Amino acid sequence: MGIGKVAAIACATLFVSSSSDSDSPDAHSPENPGVFIMGVDGMDPVILSRLIDTGKMPNFQGLAREGSYQSLATSDPPQSPVAWSNFVTGMNPGGHGIFDFMHRDPATYAPVSSATRAPEKAGSALHLFGYVFPLSGSDPENNRGGTPWWDALIAGGVDVEVYRIPGNFPTPESKAKVLDGMGTSDLRGGFGTYTLYTDAAVEKDDPKGDIQFVTVHDLDLDGTPDTVTSILRGPPDLFHLEPGQVPREGDYLTIGLTVHIDPVAAVSVVEIAGQRVLIRQGEWSDWVEVTFDLLPMGIMPVSGAVRFYAKQLRPQFQLYVSPVNISAAKPHTPVTSPDDFVEDLFAEVGFFYTQGMPEEQEALKDGVFDEDDYLKQVALVQEDTRRLLDLALTRFEPGDATFMYFSDIDLQSHMLWRHKDPKYPNAPDHPAYDAAISPGHTRDIENLYRDVDAALGEVRRRLPPGTLLIVMSDHGFQPFSRDVHLNAWLRENGYLVMKPGKTTGYTFGDDVDWTQTRAYGIGFNGLYLNLAGREAQGIVDPADADALMSEIARGLETFTDPDRGEGVVLRVDRSAEIYSGPRIGEGPDLLVGYNVGYGCSDQSTLGEITERVLEDNTSRWSGSHLMAAEVVPGVLLVNRKLSSDGHDLTDLTATLLSHYDIEPLPGMIGEPIL
Amino acid sequence: MQTYNDVAGAIFDFLLAPFGHDFALFDLVLWPAVMGVAALQVYKHVSNQRAIARVKKQISMHLLEIRLFRNDIAQVLKSTGAILVKNTVYIGHNLLPMAVMLVPMVAVMVQLVAHYAYAPSRPGSVELLHLTLAPTASVSPRDVSLKLPPGVTLDAPAVRTADGQVFWRVRAEQPGDHVLQVSVGGEIFEKGWAVGGEPRKVPVKRLRSWEALLYPGEAAIPSGAPVLSLELGMNVRPLAYLPDGELGILIWAMVLSMLAGFALKDLFGVTL
């Protein structure tokens, strides 16, 4: 009997559904109605106002009428990682240490991601049976300093849930339930490497994706090609890489993939990792979990999840595979805090995009996707957002603090602006305007705004009465029609000197004569002095830095576009003057605030020195906000009457804390808006 | 093969789920425990109990030698070698009873899997129906067609592969125990699909080889038929703290039967 009893209890534990919530009892005050924040990346006040005025955003109109609507000052520079870090920590970059998408390594002059603080040095390793076993070293850490507002709220007894917050990967430890957003890598360690299997040529010479040229074989010799076999690349083969070694193409784990194409209908079956999915031409599959083995016999599996898109099966073969997302079912690295929050999410909504910027804009940039393909994929991301929003609203209780992030407007404003300027209706055509495609996509961005309006309607309908509702964006948008190659401008003006015989090249490598170079650019708005004692080959005496910065700033602020007669740069700020906090010294010396329509080119951002200084931006990346902060403010809507305006992102952080009567943390600079 | 499945199915359909499939716990405790007790009896009568006791005693003795003479490397190595030899002898004594126990234990576990590893599909769900033609079949994949009952619709055209497979994506519109009919060169093969409703024994796959013994939820495909297998993606039953579906049930049954065996060995006077 004893055994039976024990077994029965064990069984009851094992087979009873695991729906029980391990939340501790509510610690927040029941009198506090709580707060719900919708963070809409890239929502622009000019576009929003026009849509409200024309009655196309009824829920935003209702919220503005009921409470307050004003513009919200963004960060300087107005880049998402910086702006969201301001919001998360209530500090400016001098405090939290995120100055740009890209920072630079002063030892090598190479661009490095701002998201991660890399280990100081690679650890040692044991070589055994052909494998490399690391013996020391540490995992990469999140580079954002300061204390997130959710940690302050949790410490104050508030239940907090944060969905897809940018810049939170690698995931810092926290008791708050936080799902990482923008900046979360895919399984390969990048920010989204897609795979295309094709037997046709691709548009770009240097696509960002993994292009696999395949042959469609005719296995049954009936005259109709029917079968493709290839591989899917997953995470780096870590046990065959030396510590710190950057993986090359052959250094990734792979699994086999077979595609069967029906001889008659435009439909196929993809077989991968023991699973099969049937997809029609033009259709996306559901998620497929794929597992890569780091060690033999499944000792150390790494799970990912992918979706397939049968772009074309015949006459040309083009099968697209999404970047291998970290599996929400079995993440090998945390994408939430606490680690097991992702299990709750997976149990409720199944697989979802864990990749930080899930809209596959690289495929559109590369011409692998056309607009219709892209928007089809965007709709999948929106579906994810809707499911997570529904879950967040279901879990929300009076007194809670919940944040929900919406990515679509930002990425699609970047990608689709060229078709029809949504901000300036009479603007001339963008250089990347395509008469064959653009007329069919003139309302795409407007439609995305209206989708967010629908989400707001759902939020307003379901929130408990009295809940403080804040809708905010990190920045607005402007057209991006002219590429500025900042490093080329520095070269032309004698601040950056190339080695003899070279006019182009990279800041890293062997192209620049650092013994004569006084300044260089890396990042979308950053400009660094080649400062003695800081940069590896620095020559600028710190005593001369002030004069040099003034000289460069004057030069840039008077820099005129010869083709348009417009100023290229609105203003140049000095980090030391506009930032506060202990990490000022890590950032650029100068921040270049570009005029409307201008922005730093991708090449210069990544340290390239090009031939030309200015040129038309013919890329599909046609809208931007990487300019002077004052030309791209965000929006702020609150369901309370505000008595003042001129608020910025750090004020919202202060507001969240004051809403729960929590004192501001050291270093926070904002003031409550209520 | 089919006869065995019919008989075993009739017996276990009667024995299993006396309180319904909602009370899986009853069967999943009772039958592994019964298996453990039955295994003890088999072990007691089939194995050489004296020899097993003797070899276990010898292993203990050599372990004691290692402890007593741990400073004498030569003795430690000698005793370790002896332990390895005696362990091999011990395993040898276990082979016959294991072989005898294997068949009935597999039979019971197969029935537990058939009843509890899968759940009916949810209405609205989409699954893949997969037919594999026998290599010796004279029909082509193009001669294969599907007839659907009311309540099930085709979600995408069929894919016929060069290596003799046919796939259909089917959608369960209505709950029910549906029967899908696949015509292969004019010969009809049926495939069940349990959709919605209470937990119950659900059909998973129809197989032609000995593997059909492992899936007694549906009739085996007759030998000589042009079809090798007919499978439908099924909804595996989630099991907390265990792998879902078949593996979870198998691990659970094995572990629980072993626990029962070890717990009751003294009661039944069995030396393991």
Side-chain angles (χ1 to χ4, degrees), chain A residues 240-577:
Chain A
H240 285 101
L241 290 172
E242 296 297 329
Q245 184 184 337
V246 177
R248 292 156 301 176
E249 189 176 276
D251 292 331
Y252 293 90
L253 296 169
T254 61
I255 50 176
L257 165 139
T258 303
V259 187
H260 302 280
I261 308 168
D262 186 75
V264 179
V267 60
S268 63
V269 164
V270 180
E271 289 188 89
I272 185 165
Q275 297 169 86
R276 301 182 181 100
V277 286
L278 188 154
I279 37 177
R280 284 183 283 198
Q281 182 167 290
E283 188 178 58
W284 279 90
S285 76
D286 205 345
W287 287 102
V288 178
E289 189 163 23
V290 289
T291 302
F292 301 85
D293 285 324
L294 276 168
L295 289 172
M297 298 188 294
I299 293 171
M300 193 179 283
V302 178
S303 287
V306 291
R307 299 182 87 140
F308 295 91
Y309 176 55
K311 180 171 165 59
Q312 190 178 117
L313 297 172
R314 287 203 180 88
Q316 290 179 332
F317 180 77
Q318 292 173 303
L319 178 73
Y320 180 92
V321 187
S322 70
V324 187
N325 279 234
I326 294 171
S327 167
K330 298 171 206 149
H332 73 287
T333 188
V335 293
T336 61
S337 67
D339 291 3
D340 58 1
F341 180 44
V342 71
E343 292 172 16
D344 289 0
L345 299 178
F346 181 74
E348 294 290 341
V349 302
F351 284 105
F352 54 87
Y353 283 99
T354 56
Q355 181 196 329
M357 290 199 285
E359 291 90 346
E360 296 179 17
Q361 87 276 359
E362 294 294 358
L364 181 58
K365 275 188 194 172
D366 289 346
V368 165
F369 273 3
D370 60 27
E371 266 68 2
D372 291 335
D373 299 324
Y374 181 66
L375 288 169
K376 221 181 272 183
Q377 194 267 333
V378 167
L380 299 178
V381 180
Q382 288 182 302
E383 177 57 29
D384 262 14
T385 306
R386 273 193 290 272
R387 287 186 298 146
L388 288 171
L389 175 63
D390 178 64
L391 178 66
L393 288 167
T394 303
R395 294 166 67 109
F396 187 87
E397 293 179 0
D400 290 355
T402 293
F403 172 90
M404 172 60 68
Y405 174 78
F406 295 80
S407 63
D408 299 321
I409 286 178
D410 177 77
L411 279 165
Q412 278 52 265
S413 293
H414 279 300
M415 300 306 298
L416 305 171
W417 199 282
R418 68 189 179 120
H419 298 308
K420 171 73 182 168
D421 193 319
K423 190 162 183 172
Y424 309 111
N426 299 320
D429 287 342
H430 190 278
Y433 177 85
D434 185 336
I437 299 169
S438 295
H441 294 278
T442 55
R443 292 190 184 278
D444 287 349
I445 294 175
E446 178 180 313
N447 289 338
L448 291 159
Y449 271 73
R450 297 177 75 169
D451 290 341
V452 176
D453 185 71
L456 174 61
E458 178 77 359
V459 170
R460 295 185 77 204
R461 191 176 62 76
R462 291 177 59 181
L463 278 185
T467 305
L468 173 62
L469 172 61
I470 298 174
V471 183
M472 48 79 72
S473 66
D474 56 335
H475 53 69
F477 253 89
Q478 292 286 1
F480 174 29
S481 51
R482 294 283 277 171
D483 264 326
V484 183
H485 300 289
L486 179 63
N487 280 321
W489 183 89
L490 290 168
R491 180 199 60 211
E492 295 297 299
N493 288 274
Y495 299 109
L496 189 153
V497 179
M498 306 299 291
K499 284 191 172 170
K502 293 189 175 178
T503 55
T504 62
Y506 294 87
T507 53
F508 49 98
D510 198 31
D511 303 316
V512 176
D513 181 355
W514 292 106
T515 64
Q516 298 187 67
T517 291
R518 291 177 289 161
Y520 63 102
I522 284 182
F524 286 101
N525 298 86
L527 194 154
Y528 297 85
L529 300 187
N530 188 25
L531 200 64
R534 187 183 69 182
E535 262 68 10
Q537 301 175 63
I539 60 162
V540 176
D541 189 321
D544 300 332
D546 188 63
L548 179 59
M549 284 193 285
S550 296
E551 183 185 320
I552 293 173
R554 266 197 310 278
L556 282 168
E557 284 169 353
T558 55
F559 172 25
T560 302
D561 181 349
D563 293 349
R564 294 187 175 182
E566 298 173 345
V568 172
V569 175
L570 277 184
R571 63 188 169 78
V572 178
D573 291 316
R574 293 189 192 195
S575 301
E577 291 177 358

Side-chain angles (χ1 to χ4, degrees), chain B residues 77-94:
Chain B
L77 290 174
K78 191 177 163 193
S79 299
T80 305
I83 288 172
L84 288 174
V85 170
K86 296 298 176 190
N87 262 314
T88 310
V89 173
Y90 176 73
I91 291 169
H93 284 306
N94 278 277

Side-chain angles (χ1 to χ4, degrees), chain A residues 47-283:
Chain A
I47 301 173
L48 177 62
S49 294
R50 189 163 48 75
L51 294 175
I52 287 176
D53 292 345
T54 51
K56 292 176 177 172
M57 304 280 278
N59 294 298
F60 273 79
Q61 189 174 39
L63 179 58
R65 193 184 300 130
E66 171 192 323
S68 305
Y69 166 36
Q70 54 187 241
S71 62
L72 180 69
T74 182
S75 58
D76 192 357
Q79 301 185 27
S80 292
V82 185
W84 288 111
S85 296
N86 281 15
F87 168 68
V88 167
T89 64
M91 298 171 162
N92 63 39
H96 57 65
I98 306 295
F99 297 87
D100 198 295
F101 274 97
M102 304 305 301
H103 289 173
R104 61 75 172 95
D105 180 352
T108 61
Y109 300 91
V112 292
S113 167
S114 66
T116 308
R117 196 179 304 137
E120 296 265 318
K121 60 173 186 173
S124 54
L126 172 69
H127 295 74
L128 208 60
F129 307 119
Y131 288 88
V132 181
F133 296 95
L135 295 175
S136 60
S138 57
D139 292 332
E141 288 179 20
N142 195 305
N143 188 34
R144 188 190 62 217
T147 303
W149 56 259
W150 52 79
D151 281 350
L153 263 54
I154 277 281
V158 182
D159 283 347
V160 187
E161 293 196 356
V162 177
Y163 292 84
R164 283 190 168 151
I165 188 73
N168 205 53
F169 184 87
T171 318
E173 279 190 22
S174 174
K175 289 177 181 167
K177 291 175 177 163
V178 183
L179 170 63
D180 301 342
M182 180 195 292
T184 307
S185 73
D186 62 10
L187 215 57
R188 289 175 68 148
F191 295 124
T193 305
Y194 66 84
T195 306
L196 179 74
Y197 304 93
T198 183
D199 58 0
V202 291
E203 183 182 304
K204 279 183 81 172
D205 293 334
D206 57 344
K208 294 283 197 305
D210 182 357
I211 308 295
Q212 297 202 23
F213 292 101
V214 295
T215 302
V216 187
H217 297 282
D218 179 9
L219 285 193
D220 56 2
L221 304 176
D222 66 349
T224 308
D226 46 52
T227 307
V228 173
T229 55
S230 191
I231 53 158
L232 177 70
R233 289 193 177 91
D237 188 359
L238 293 176
F239 290 107
H240 285 101
L241 290 172
E242 296 297 329
Q245 184 184 337
V246 177
R248 292 156 301 176
E249 189 176 276
D251 292 331
Y252 293 90
L253 296 169
T254 61
I255 50 176
L257 165 139
T258 303
V259 187
H260 302 280
I261 308 168
D262 186 75
V264 179
V267 60
S268 63
V269 164
V270 180
E271 289 188 89
I272 185 165
Q275 297 169 86
R276 301 182 181 100
V277 286
L278 188 154
I279 37 177
R280 284 183 283 198
Q281 182 167 290
E283 188 178 58

